[in-house]
Amino acid sequence: MLENCQRHHMLLGLGALTVVTILVLFVESRYAAEGPRRREPQFVIEDNSTCWRNEKYKVVEECHPCSEFDIVSRSLGVCIHTHYKEVLRCQSGEIVTRSCDRVALIEQMNFLKFEVLCFVIGLLSYLVSYARDRILSRRNYMRIERQLNRVQ
């Protein structure tokens, strides 16, 4: 089926798919940002970390990955379940470490890496296919030329 498509039709279709993909990403990120807040984790975090549930708090350190030592040694209870933590300062002055979900920026970067990898693989596949097509076309042309030279 692709052999019957003209090049500009294929490029138009590829461009349309790219535009639709980007549009879906923008719409999804907008609704994800405006959607309901994340649900609270269902696991016990730490015994001393309840002040953030009852009081106002400020985020001292944004959600970031735990160190390998914290995960392996289980020295911080918050690092056991999600491997991410954030530091909060409650209104009472208490500083608490709480578990959090993966950082949105890390998720976006991983997704972009995946998209770039898929693009590179697709581009390489196209180049290999194009080169193979050119080789086969050249061989076919040479075969036809040899056949015509034999006839004359």
Side-chain angles (χ1 to χ4, degrees):
M1 182 172 121
L2 289 177
E3 298 86 25
N4 299 331
C5 292
Q6 294 178 357
R7 184 176 182 165
H8 67 276
H9 286 137
M10 289 176 44
L11 290 176
L12 183 66
L14 182 62
L17 285 174
T18 304
V19 168
V20 168
T21 301
I22 291 172
L23 183 66
V24 166
L25 288 175
F26 281 127
V27 169
E28 183 180 84
S29 66
R30 180 179 177 124
Y31 283 120
E34 293 176 357
R37 300 305 275 165
R38 296 181 201 153
R39 58 179 167 73
E40 295 298 321
Q42 299 296 322
F43 46 84
V44 176
I45 296 173
E46 278 187 4
D47 293 336
N48 65 351
S49 64
T50 58
C51 75
W52 58 270
R53 293 184 184 190
N54 304 326
E55 304 174 15
K56 291 185 179 182
Y57 61 87
K58 290 184 181 179
V59 178
V60 177
E61 291 181 29
E62 293 291 331
C63 188
H64 61 280
C66 297
S67 66
E68 269 308 305
F69 177 76
D70 290 336
I71 296 169
V72 173
S73 69
R74 297 179 176 253
S75 60
L76 283 176
V78 297
C79 291
I80 295 172
H81 300 286
T82 63
H83 303 295
Y84 290 89
K85 65 181 178 181
E86 64 183 346
V87 179
L88 309 174
R89 181 186 306 265
C90 294
Q91 196 172 18
S92 62
E94 183 180 2
I95 296 179
V96 176
T97 304
R98 141 177 113 167
S99 184
C100 57
D101 291 333
R102 289 189 68 144
V103 183
L105 182 61
I106 292 174
E107 291 290 331
Q108 286 177 342
M109 291 303 294
N110 287 341
F111 180 74
L112 287 176
K113 288 177 189 175
F114 172 73
E115 286 290 314
V116 167
L117 180 68
C118 287
F119 177 76
V120 168
I121 290 173
L123 184 64
L124 289 175
S125 298
Y126 170 75
L127 291 175
V128 168
S129 298
Y130 183 74
R132 179 73 177 152
D133 182 52
R134 297 286 291 179
I135 290 170
L136 291 176
S137 295
R138 179 119 174 117
R139 285 182 185 170
N140 196 19
Y141 175 74
M142 296 299 279
R143 183 178 53 85
I144 292 171
E145 186 178 339
R146 275 194 309 260
Q147 287 176 350
L148 288 176
N149 285 337
R150 283 185 203 155
V151 171
Q152 294 177 355

